[in-house]
């Protein structure tokens, strides 16, 4: 079958004696597609062997290198965009016949989907590769680390799936199973225009069958001096509105009751294709069933400023969480300039103040980097004052890590002990206030979608995307329920179900089972001519 035009890629020899020119050279024209392979299994009638040909199951398993029969463990680090990519890769592998497992020790191959935002995330990724090799597991790597730096020494000899090539994961895993090393790192283009990535209607396995993560665009319009993700995801490339609406529609038909929109910068959506974020959101709102909810992902201040009026209207609609993640990173204009963030702190304040006035109760989450190169004590105190002013209920505090290859890595660094001290001070300030105490006694409608880490509660969210812990009763999962708030913590509320209040089911279909592949109902399976063998 045709694999399309050759992309930019590196093919490395492994078990082969000679260099393989391309992955196409290892897959014959007549080899079945993954869906053909899965369908054919159901109608193949095996011929009984003669006694002298019989082999034991152990011998067959030991000698077999037939792709599509192995167990795969997928590990993903990083943002919700990366998690969505991981779900898509798992879904395609399962649809192709591979068995997905949550136990890395029983897996034949580890698919490691990396994050390049901070050094610790890459360290975990590197250590996992080493651990897999020590256990003699096959390894395929994906995500932003190998996309940005495929020539890193510890990636030598490993198969790589680029961030825009996740629709070809089955091909790469097939070859890795055979002992080949394949690297697909090219960009997807249409008539010279860069696309958002792989198709949105691919099979996927949702980590949570109730939540669909939709990437609306990849890349961004900025060039932040500390950011390594830009090296991997590149410039802005948006998916067409019709494709995103269709993906949401399909998700609801599979029992999803909550959608997360994600990207490196949702506020910049559509600028490359002649549309914008509010236009997309209004179209999506039309598709959301009663009781289901939509959560908007991270947006940088510059690109949301011109849409504030429309965004306020959208965030006030009952089926959209009144929640927005707007990273400020620093409250010092000089530091923001060195970061090349393309806004000043007053722009950030304008966004927050406007939305707080027009969307009563809105939750604004933000990010702050402590110890960016050149940050003075006065710069840091400006950031402390911003937090004191707004008392953000959700604050992501990051000690600065210089990422290799970024301009910030070449700047004069703040001493490590100073970065550590500033991170500690900001963390102490954040933990000095309780943002939810005034909520005690309120009656709220909450959507139950998850389980708490300690498995003692179900996790729900109210209109403002505040986490509400509710009793772990099976009939609540995936339902909108009414609760009375009786306790608050730093990061959560606790709700008691209102007596005589019946849970409401927002899903228009039964959710898929955990591990079940999404999207297969949409696949037009080809006719297979079955032959007795």
């Amino acid at each position: 079958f045709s694999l399309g035009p050759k992309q930019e890629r590196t093919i490395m020899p492994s078990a082969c004696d000679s260099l393989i020119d391309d992955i196409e050279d290892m897959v014959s024209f007549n080899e079945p597609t993954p869906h053909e392979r899965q369908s054919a299994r159901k109608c193949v009638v095996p011929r009984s062997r003669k006694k002298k040909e019989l082999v034991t199951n152990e011998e067959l398993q030991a000698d077999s290198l037939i792709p599509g029969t192995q167990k795969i463990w997928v590990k993903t680090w990083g943002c919700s965009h990366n998690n969505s990519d991981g779900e898509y890769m798992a879904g395609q592998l399962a649809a192709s016949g591979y068995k997905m497992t949550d136990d890395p020790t029983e897996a034949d191959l580890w698919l490691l989907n990396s994050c390049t935002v901070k050094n610790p995330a890459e360290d975990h990724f590197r250590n996992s590769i080493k651990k897999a090799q020590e256990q003699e597991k096959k390894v395929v790597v994906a995500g932003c680390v190998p996309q940005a730096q495929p020539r890193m020494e510890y990636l030598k000899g490993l198969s790589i799936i680029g961030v825009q090539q996740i629709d070809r994961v089955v091909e790469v895993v097939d070859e890795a199973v055979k002992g080949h090393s394949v690297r697909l790192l090219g960009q997807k283009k249409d008539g010279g225009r860069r696309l958002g990535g792989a198709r949105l209607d691919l099979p996927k396995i949702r980590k949570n069958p109730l939540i669909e993560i939709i990437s609306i665009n990849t890349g961004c319009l900025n060039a932040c001096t500390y950011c390594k993700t830009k090296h991997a995801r590149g410039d802005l490339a948006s998916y067409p509105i019709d494709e995103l609406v269709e993906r949401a529609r399909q998700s609801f038909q599979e029992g999803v009751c909550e959608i997360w929109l994600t990207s490196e910068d949702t506020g910049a959506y559509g600028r490359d294709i002649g549309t914008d974020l509010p236009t997309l959101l209004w179209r999506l709102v039309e598709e959301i069933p009663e009781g289901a909810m939509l959560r908007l992902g991270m947006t940088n201040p510059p690109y949301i400023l011109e849409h504030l009026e429309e965004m306020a209207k959208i965030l006030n609609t009952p089926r959209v969480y009144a929640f927005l993640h707007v990273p400020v990173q620093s409250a010092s204009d000089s530091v923001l300039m060195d970061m090349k963030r393309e806004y000043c702190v007053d722009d950030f304040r304008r966004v927050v103040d406007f939305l707080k006035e027009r969307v009563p109760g809105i939750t604004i989450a933000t990010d702050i980097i402590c110890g960016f190169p050149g940050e003075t004590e006065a710069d840091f105190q400006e950031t402390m004052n911003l937090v004191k002013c707004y008392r953000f209920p959700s604050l992501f505090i990051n000690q600065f890590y210089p990422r290799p290859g970024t301009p910030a890595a070449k700047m004069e660094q703040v001493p490590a002990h100073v970065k550590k001290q500033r991170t500690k001070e900001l963390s102490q300030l954040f933990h000095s206030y309780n943002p939810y105490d005034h909520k005690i006694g309120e009656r709220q409608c909450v959507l139950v979608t998850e389980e708490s880490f300690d498995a003692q509660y179900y996790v729900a969210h109210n209109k403002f995307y505040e986490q509400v812990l509710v009793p772990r009763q099976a009939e609540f999962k995936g339902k909108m329920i009414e609760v009375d708030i009786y306790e608050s913590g730093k990061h959560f509320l606790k709700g008691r179900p209102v007596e005589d209040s019946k849970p409401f089911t927002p899903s228009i279909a039964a959710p898929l089972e955990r591990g079940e592949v999404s999207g297969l109902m949409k696949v037009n399976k080809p006719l297979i001519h079955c032959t007795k063998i």
Side-chain angles (χ1 to χ4, degrees):
F1 56 94
S2 173
L3 296 178
K6 294 184 180 180
Q7 307 283 347
E8 294 178 12
R9 64 187 74 131
T10 305
I11 310 270
M12 300 180 63
S14 180
C16 304
D17 293 329
S18 60
L19 183 67
I20 299 163
D21 291 331
D22 205 339
I23 192 170
E24 282 88 339
D25 298 330
M26 295 181 282
V27 185
S28 71
F29 181 84
N30 294 318
E31 187 164 327
T33 65
H35 290 300
E36 289 172 339
R37 179 194 297 162
Q38 181 72 357
S39 301
R41 286 181 178 171
K42 300 175 183 177
C43 47
V44 171
V45 180
R47 182 181 65 193
S48 59
R49 290 176 178 269
K50 296 178 182 178
K51 285 187 178 179
K52 66 179 181 180
E53 294 177 326
L54 288 175
V55 294
T56 65
N57 286 337
E58 289 78 9
E59 290 172 333
L60 181 62
Q61 291 170 359
D63 294 335
S64 176
L65 283 177
I66 302 171
T69 62
Q70 290 75 22
K71 290 184 178 179
I72 310 289
W73 179 60
V74 179
K75 171 66 177 176
T76 293
W77 292 267
C79 65
S80 53
H81 191 167
N82 227 33
N83 276 275
S84 177
D85 286 352
E87 292 180 348
Y88 273 122
M89 288 190 284
Q92 291 170 86
L93 290 168
S96 180
Y98 285 101
K99 300 174 183 67
M100 311 311 295
T101 178
D102 292 328
D103 183 356
T105 62
E106 72 171 18
D108 302 294
L109 181 144
W110 289 11
L111 173 54
L112 304 175
N113 188 23
S114 62
C115 171
T116 192
V117 171
K118 293 188 284 189
N119 289 2
E122 184 173 347
D123 291 342
H124 286 304
F125 171 62
R126 184 191 299 111
N127 292 337
S128 294
I129 292 174
K130 183 179 179 182
K131 187 174 181 181
Q133 292 169 334
E134 289 171 349
Q135 297 181 28
E136 298 184 342
K137 306 288 187 183
K138 302 283 187 183
V139 181
V140 172
V141 295
C144 292
V145 171
Q147 180 73 52
Q149 292 181 289
R151 293 182 178 85
M152 294 288 284
E153 182 63 27
Y154 70 88
L155 298 176
K156 189 174 181 180
L158 297 180
S159 290
I160 296 176
I161 304 164
V163 295
Q164 286 211 324
Q165 298 291 332
I166 62 172
D167 54 338
R168 303 182 72 179
V169 62
V170 174
E171 301 165 40
V172 177
V173 169
D174 281 353
E175 297 308 324
V177 165
K178 297 174 189 175
H180 303 148
S181 180
V182 181
R183 297 186 165 199
L184 301 185
L185 296 165
Q187 303 293 329
K188 293 200 178 299
K189 295 183 178 180
D190 180 17
R193 184 179 67 83
R194 185 165 173 265
L195 300 178
R199 296 195 337 263
L200 294 172
D201 61 352
L202 294 169
K204 75 187 307 188
I205 296 178
R206 298 185 183 96
K207 187 176 181 181
N208 183 337
L210 297 173
I211 297 175
E212 167 71 2
I213 306 171
I214 302 179
S215 170
I216 63 174
N217 57 268
T218 191
C220 68
L221 294 172
N222 294 339
C224 300
T225 55
Y226 57 82
C227 183
K228 188 74 175 177
T229 306
K230 177 78 172 188
H231 296 190
R233 298 284 182 177
D235 293 328
L236 179 69
S238 305
Y239 284 98
I241 287 179
D242 287 344
E243 292 181 20
L244 294 166
V245 170
E246 180 55 34
R247 182 64 200 180
R249 190 179 293 131
Q250 177 192 328
S251 302
F252 291 129
Q253 290 169 353
E254 293 177 336
V256 162
C257 60
E258 185 169 293
I259 283 183
W260 297 355
L261 299 186
T262 183
S263 77
E264 283 65 58
D265 186 353
T266 57
Y269 170 80
R271 285 174 173 254
D272 57 319
I273 58 173
T275 186
D276 55 38
L277 181 62
T279 302
L280 168 64
L281 293 177
W282 283 123
R283 285 284 304 279
L284 288 172
V285 166
E286 295 173 2
E287 301 294 333
I288 304 173
E290 183 182 357
M293 297 296 291
L294 182 146
R295 190 193 80 176
L296 188 59
M298 187 271 289
T299 176
N300 286 311
Y303 305 111
I304 206 68
L305 270 170
E306 66 187 72
H307 300 309
L308 288 179
E309 289 277 359
E310 285 300 295
M311 289 303 300
K313 294 175 186 176
I314 291 165
L315 293 169
N316 273 315
T317 60
R319 299 176 194 183
V320 178
Y321 286 118
F323 167 88
L324 202 61
H325 180 192
V326 190
V328 65
Q329 304 300 7
S330 173
S332 163
D333 285 343
S334 63
V335 173
L336 292 173
M337 185 176 296
D338 289 341
M339 291 179 172
K340 288 194 175 179
R341 289 291 288 169
E342 299 186 11
Y343 60 86
C344 61
V345 70
D346 282 347
D347 292 331
F348 175 81
R349 289 179 180 274
R350 193 175 307 122
V351 171
V352 177
D353 292 344
F354 184 93
L355 292 176
K356 278 182 168 290
E357 178 185 347
R358 301 295 183 92
V359 189
I362 188 174
T363 296
I364 299 290
T366 196
D367 299 3
I368 288 174
I369 295 174
C370 294
F372 186 81
E375 181 186 66
T376 65
E377 184 60 30
D379 294 329
F380 177 66
Q381 288 306 318
E382 288 187 68
T383 299
M384 291 283 284
N385 291 336
L386 184 78
V387 175
K388 289 175 184 176
C389 175
Y390 288 105
R391 296 166 66 93
F392 301 103
S394 182
L395 177 61
F396 302 94
I397 301 169
N398 301 291
Q399 181 176 316
F400 176 75
Y401 289 96
R403 300 295 289 130
T406 61
K410 300 175 184 178
M411 298 177 182
E412 185 176 350
Q413 304 295 305
V414 172
H417 71 278
V418 175
K419 291 193 289 187
K420 187 174 182 180
Q421 179 60 31
R422 289 176 184 171
T423 303
K424 181 180 178 181
E425 284 184 36
L426 185 57
S427 296
Q428 288 174 338
L429 172 59
F430 174 60
H431 287 283
S432 70
Y433 58 86
N434 296 312
Y436 302 129
D437 285 353
H438 66 288
K439 300 273 184 175
I440 295 176
E442 289 185 4
R443 179 165 291 187
Q444 300 179 348
C445 286
V446 298
L447 180 59
V448 185
T449 55
E450 302 172 71
E451 188 177 278
S452 63
F453 287 116
D454 60 8
Q456 299 300 305
Y457 299 91
Y458 277 154
V459 178
H461 292 90
N462 59 21
K463 163 67 177 172
F464 309 107
Y465 203 68
E466 295 161 341
Q467 185 171 264
V468 181
L469 304 180
V470 300
R472 197 170 181 274
Q473 296 176 216
E475 65 270 23
F476 292 162
K477 194 72 176 288
K479 305 292 195 299
M480 181 76 77
I481 65 173
E482 199 172 19
V483 298
D484 288 326
I485 303 300
Y486 66 91
E487 185 181 329
S488 71
K490 178 62 181 176
H491 302 286
F492 66 88
L493 298 162
K494 286 186 180 179
R496 185 180 295 111
V498 175
E499 291 185 19
D500 301 325
S501 177
K502 294 182 179 180
F504 177 78
T505 305
S507 300
I508 60 175
L512 301 180
E513 296 295 325
R514 177 176 165 79
E516 188 175 351
V517 181
S518 156
L520 290 186
M521 68 179 71
K522 295 287 185 181
V523 175
N524 295 318
K525 295 185 178 179
L527 292 173
I528 301 293
H529 297 286
C530 302
T531 306
K532 292 184 179 181
I533 58 173

